[in-house]
Amino acid sequence: THSTFMLKGWIPESQTEHLVKKISNITPYYDIKFEDPAEDEVFPVAVNNPPIVQPFEVVTNLYSTPNSHELDPNAYMAPFYFVFFGMMLGDAAYGLILAILASYFTKKYKWQGDSKRLGQLIALGGISTFIWGALYGSWFGDAGTMLGIPPLWFNPLDEPVRMLILCFAMGIVQIFAGMAIKAYMNVRDGHPWAAVFDQGFWYVFLIGLIVFGLNKSNTESTAYTVGKYMSIAGAVGLILTQGREEKNIFKKLVKGILSLYDITGFLSDVLSYSRLFALGLATGVIGMVLNKMAAILGSSPIGWILAVFILVVGHLFNIAINTIGAYVHASRLQYIEFFGRFFEGGGHAFKPLSIKTKYTQINKEEAV
């Protein structure tokens, strides 16, 4: 030919045949070669999640792109985020409004990329909010109670201690899940003993302390005895193994003993899940106050007009401000308490060579 050029770049392995087919349709004059990255080579990351998980990618992307040698955390994070968002907003009527509005604007304005994923995330959050609101019996604050709609489970305002225990239990489950993912990564990377020493002994220690604490009022019970010996065994295991990288025996022992101080970090992380209760409580209380204000004003024609104004504007404001709060604090729980257990990040996303358009959309089936 009169001219030639060379391009070198990255492409997902699943797309290699598609690329060859597209190029061969354009010209017979080409030579193409594929090779895998080196074992220690850093390459761009293209996550591949099912449609139900893709909306949650926007949360992870705000934190960091996974690096090329670790797990994609989105599928593991998505169920927790879905549940926590709904617990924080916690009003069935608000959830319906949120899901309908987010779905409507996403489709009407044909949002793409992160905007589309964010709209879908808010819509899913609305569905979770509807479920938890129905469980709490919250419909526009206490309007459901006034209309005789009972909670499917319990009302957090009536049983705050029960709600707080539920939040802490949710936190323990997520923290343990993060530890399990890290253990799997250790085994996958050829470090099975690290999984035993760094996660296994912590499981034994923490579960033992929980069982011991829950049964301390009954010292004669089997659970109390099992919890006590589990916590002792876990503590001994940590003391003997957490300083294993040190060469000096004294330093090994000191580092092992000091590792037990990390229990304060675990307790702090569990306490962070109290925000699930705090934000849910704020939503319900504000809704209740709005309803009472409207009831006080609704005794005259002008009062009814003011009452309707307060109800509409007030509840819309309550939805908006607490949706932002649920989004931010549910993300924060993932970033600090969950990702901190196993996720490193620091990668860079795979960005295919493509035409960047502002007012038109490219058909993905026709794009090269």
Side-chain angles (χ1 to χ4, degrees), residues 230-344:
M230 279 185 67
S231 58
I232 293 173
V236 171
L238 291 170
I239 291 172
L240 295 177
T241 60
Q242 294 306 291
R244 62 185 182 277
E245 295 179 358
E246 299 290 341
K247 295 182 179 180
N248 184 285
I249 296 179
F250 178 73
K251 289 183 177 180
K252 287 177 182 288
L253 184 61
V254 170
K255 191 172 182 179
I257 295 173
L258 292 177
S259 69
L260 298 179
Y261 183 74
D262 289 342
I263 187 64
T264 59
F266 175 80
L267 293 175
S268 174
D269 289 344
V270 172
L271 288 174
S272 292
Y273 288 85
S274 62
R275 71 189 66 238
L276 297 173
F277 172 56
L279 269 75
L281 187 66
T283 305
V285 169
I286 293 174
M288 183 186 302
V289 171
L290 291 169
N291 294 337
K292 291 187 181 301
M293 290 174 61
I296 293 172
L297 293 171
S299 58
S300 66
I302 296 177
W304 280 111
I305 294 173
L306 290 174
V308 171
F309 177 80
I310 288 174
L311 288 175
V312 173
V313 176
H315 281 295
L316 285 176
F317 174 78
N318 198 20
I319 293 173
I321 195 67
N322 283 291
T323 296
I324 295 173
Y327 173 77
V328 170
H329 286 280
S331 298
R332 187 251 179 224
L333 287 174
Q334 311 312 312
Y335 298 159
I336 307 300
E337 277 70 39
F338 190 51
F339 286 173
R341 301 287 166 180
F342 67 94
F343 184 52
E344 296 180 7

